[in-house]
Amino acid sequence: MDNQEGIIKLLKEVGAIVNGHFVYASGKHGEIYINKDAIYLYPQKLYWLCLLIAGHFSSVDVDVVVGPVLGGIPLSQWVAYHLSEINGRGGKEALAVYAEKTEDKNGFIFNRGYDKVIAGKRVLIVEDIITTGNSARKVIKATHSAGGIVIGLGALVNRGGAKINDFCGISNFFSLVDLKLNSWDESDCPLCLKRVPIDNKIGHGRAL
Ligand SMILES: [Zn+2]
């Protein structure tokens, strides 16, 4: 079992990857749902996942790890913790801060004086799930606006096929798991055809 298979197994065990018949936010139907909130129930597992992200960036000089609220907060803490523990950094501690949503909810901003913490610093951005990459792009933009130098983007799951070129100015994009999620219009959905009931507990099927 390679790393990726082991991580998918772990995410299934904690209920973060669920198989069934779901309606996505786009309205399309699919057979896999990612329930990212389930990951944060298990700090020991998150510790291990963040160790793998930190391991990927171990040869990169990182001053500050940035995560967007809310899931990015524990991620940034654990990744910074592991980076600080890595040999060869000479005991240099990596800091962790989080980006908050702007008032209009359309972007991210650094409050609490965190903008000053990242100004002129080498920043690693961490995300839980990357779908379109839109949220990560906004965090990158906010980091640049605060004067930070974004050196990489690390994620738990890339579920939308995002590529490094989707993130302007990023030279190091890494995700623990790349998942291809098939999705269909309701009229073409093979699960609907087989009359598999739509999951009404998670996903957007609950509204139906
Ligand atoms: Zn369906």
Side-chain angles (χ1 to χ4, degrees), residues 21 29 186 189 191-192 198:
H21 183 189
H29 289 201
E186 189 176 348
C189 174
L191 299 168
C192 282
I198 288 172

Side-chain angles (χ1 to χ4, degrees), residues 65-70 73 96-119 125 134-148:
V65 183
V66 162
V69 289
L70 287 161
I73 299 175
V97 303
Y98 54 90
E100 293 170 75
K101 287 266 177 80
T102 50
E103 234 166 75
D104 63 8
K105 310 280 183 205
N106 282 329
F108 285 92
I109 190 165
F110 292 95
N111 294 322
R112 305 160 202 277
Y114 288 164
D115 53 335
K116 293 183 182 63
V117 175
I118 60 176
I125 292 170
N134 206 24
S135 165
R137 277 190 290 277
K138 288 175 179 174
V139 180
I140 291 167
K141 191 175 168 209
T143 304
H144 285 153
S145 298

Side-chain angles (χ1 to χ4, degrees), residues 21-23 28-30 184-193 196-198:
H21 183 189
F22 306 103
V23 181
K28 293 202 168 202
H29 289 201
W184 311 277
D185 288 329
E186 189 176 348
S187 53
D188 299 325
C189 174
L191 299 168
C192 282
L193 201 66
V196 177
I198 288 172

Side-chain angles (χ1 to χ4, degrees), residues 44-71:
Q44 283 187 314
K45 293 183 173 70
L46 195 62
Y47 170 100
W48 181 71
L49 294 170
C50 289
L51 175 61
L52 296 176
I53 293 178
H56 174 83
F57 292 98
S58 60
S59 60
V60 182
D61 186 14
V62 176
D63 298 313
V64 187
V65 183
V66 162
V69 289
L70 287 161

Side-chain angles (χ1 to χ4, degrees), residues 24 36 56 78 136 160 197 202:
Y24 297 142
K36 62 183 187 178
H56 174 83
W78 280 126
I202 53 174

